[in-house]
């Protein structure tokens, strides 16, 4: 499955593999401590955010769209 | 299928042959909240097979429809809730869907899905026709969704079988394979 940003597909695949494993083996079994995929996720995220801005996809209510959008969002 | 199996499959739903128009999936945000529930915000890109002459007129960036999906998985209560709404450049039709997966109350090997869709159409004259059309599509999509998850579950099971078959061949100790055994 591809990413919305063509350049991000490989990063996405690496992250997905890590996440799917953690989800089935740890999270669903009640051990949610320590998400091992944090680094992969960050790298993948940076790429996706750039792609979304470039393609001007109108996503509402997301922090990373920047102050110019004037939207508020609970910080996580 | 038990709830854990369905939930794992739902997180990896795309690609699958029942939803050929979904061409991209991205995770925009994901975190575990203080109560232990996993929240994911995803962006799905769909392409509807618009004729290329139309694409050349309006540009390929406008032929994709985007769907924003927010899911919450509660591993203690065993519920998975998915809310999705479409984003498009025109905003003429909007479809909001809500799906909830829970274990069957009497049979732990089964999962119950409840699904609702809210369709809003701006512009008066075609609205009831369009809504009727979309309501039919959405109810047949509910079946398609179930078939899609069956397909993903079968694929995951086949991967597990391949893995355990090769593990048996190379390792006496089956503990490694047990890490992936389905409940």
């Amino acid at each position: 499955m591809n990413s919305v940003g063509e350049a991000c597909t490989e990063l996405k695949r690496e992250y997905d593999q890590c996440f799917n494993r953690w989800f089935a083996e740890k999270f669903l079994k009640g051990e949610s401590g320590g998400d091992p995929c944090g680094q992969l996720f960050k790298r993948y995220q940076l790429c996706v955010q750039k792609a979304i801005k470039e393609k001007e996809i109108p996503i509402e209510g997301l922090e990373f769209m920047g102050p110019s959008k004037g939207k508020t969002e609970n910080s996580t | 299928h038990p709830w854990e199996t369905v939930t794992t499959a739902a997180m990896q739903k795309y690609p699958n042959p029942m939803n050929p128009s979904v061409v991209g999936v991205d995770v925009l945000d994901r975190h575990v909240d203080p109560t232990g529930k996993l929240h994911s915000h995803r962006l799905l890109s769909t392409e509807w097979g618009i004729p290329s002459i139309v694409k050349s007129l309006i540009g390929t960036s406008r032929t994709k429809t985007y769907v924003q999906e927010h899911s919450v998985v509660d591993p203690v209560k065993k519920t998975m809730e998915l809310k999705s709404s479409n984003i498009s450049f025109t905003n003429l039709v909007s479809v909001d869907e809500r799906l909830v997966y829970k274990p069957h109350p009497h049979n732990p090997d089964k999962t119950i899905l409840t699904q609702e869709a809210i369709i809003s159409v701006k512009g008066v004259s075609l609205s009831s026709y369009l809504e009727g059309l979309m309501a039919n599509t959405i109810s047949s999509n509910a079946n398609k969704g179930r078939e899609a998850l069956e397909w993903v579950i079968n694929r995951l099971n086949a991967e597990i079988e391949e893995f355990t078959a090769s593990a048996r061949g190379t390792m006496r100790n089956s503990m490694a394979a047990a890490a992936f055994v389905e409940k």
Side-chain angles (χ1 to χ4, degrees):
Chain A
M1 186 86 276
N2 293 336
S3 168
V4 68
E6 294 77 14
C8 313
T9 297
E10 195 46 49
L11 289 170
K12 173 188 133 67
R13 286 216 183 111
E14 279 179 28
Y15 167 70
D16 277 348
Q17 258 183 9
C18 177
F19 170 76
N20 288 329
R21 203 170 295 143
W22 170 81
F23 183 76
E25 292 176 22
K26 294 258 172 343
F27 181 72
L28 286 185
K29 299 187 182 174
E31 312 164 28
S32 67
D35 176 6
C37 313
Q39 279 290 66
L40 285 169
F41 187 59
K42 279 195 189 112
R43 285 206 312 242
Y44 162 53
Q45 277 296 284
L46 285 172
C47 184
V48 168
Q49 286 169 23
K50 212 173 82 157
I52 288 173
K53 277 205 185 110
E54 277 168 14
K55 297 190 184 214
E56 295 181 345
I57 300 172
I59 302 175
E60 295 183 358
L62 287 175
E63 294 183 313
F64 64 71
M65 292 306 273
S68 58
K69 288 280 174 176
K71 302 239 183 264
T72 54
E73 166 75 318
N74 290 334
S75 55
T76 55
Chain B
H1 295 281
W3 179 83
E4 286 82 357
T5 305
V6 172
T7 307
T8 304
M11 298 305 268
Q12 304 179 50
K13 190 172 176 186
Y14 305 105
N16 73 71
M18 289 82 189
N19 297 96
S21 54
V22 176
V23 299
V25 178
D26 279 296
V27 181
L28 300 173
D29 180 46
R30 183 169 267 151
H31 62 275
V32 179
D33 74 15
T35 64
K37 295 190 260 227
L38 179 72
H39 292 252
S40 308
H41 267 102
R42 300 203 303 181
L43 178 72
L44 278 56
S45 320
T46 64
E47 183 87 65
W48 293 100
I50 294 171
S52 43
I53 185 151
V54 178
K55 276 191 196 176
S56 62
L57 289 173
I58 65 178
T60 50
S61 64
R62 290 180 160 254
T63 60
K64 291 213 174 85
T65 310
Y66 296 99
V67 176
Q68 192 170 244
E69 179 199 85
H70 175 210
S71 62
V72 185
V73 182
D74 186 337
V76 175
K77 292 203 182 122
K78 299 204 183 186
T79 61
M80 175 175 186
E81 183 174 342
L82 280 136
K83 282 193 191 142
S84 66
S85 61
N86 66 337
I87 312 162
S88 67
F89 292 98
T90 61
N91 278 331
L92 188 64
V93 177
S94 65
V95 182
D96 297 297
E97 275 200 326
R98 184 172 169 258
L99 287 77
V100 183
Y101 292 100
K102 285 185 190 169
H104 191 290
H106 306 303
N107 183 347
D109 287 334
K110 291 195 177 158
T111 303
I112 294 192
L113 164 65
T114 46
Q115 187 168 358
E116 52 188 68
I118 304 166
I119 310 159
S120 326
V121 180
K122 288 183 195 163
V124 177
S125 53
L126 288 176
S127 59
S128 56
Y129 171 77
L130 269 179
E131 281 171 6
L133 196 65
M134 297 209 70
N136 281 339
T137 309
I138 284 172
S139 66
S140 70
N141 275 351
N143 235 355
K144 211 169 65 156
R146 194 178 50 82
E147 284 171 17
L149 283 194
E150 281 285 350
W151 184 90
V152 175
I153 288 168
N154 284 334
R155 178 177 68 87
L156 293 177
N157 283 343
E159 284 174 11
I160 293 170
E161 277 174 27
E162 264 181 51
F163 175 76
T164 49
S166 63
R168 250 184 243 124
T170 54
M171 291 186 249
R172 295 257 170 104
N173 187 355
S174 62
M175 286 304 286
F180 229 90
V181 167
E182 182 185 71
K183 279 200 192 114

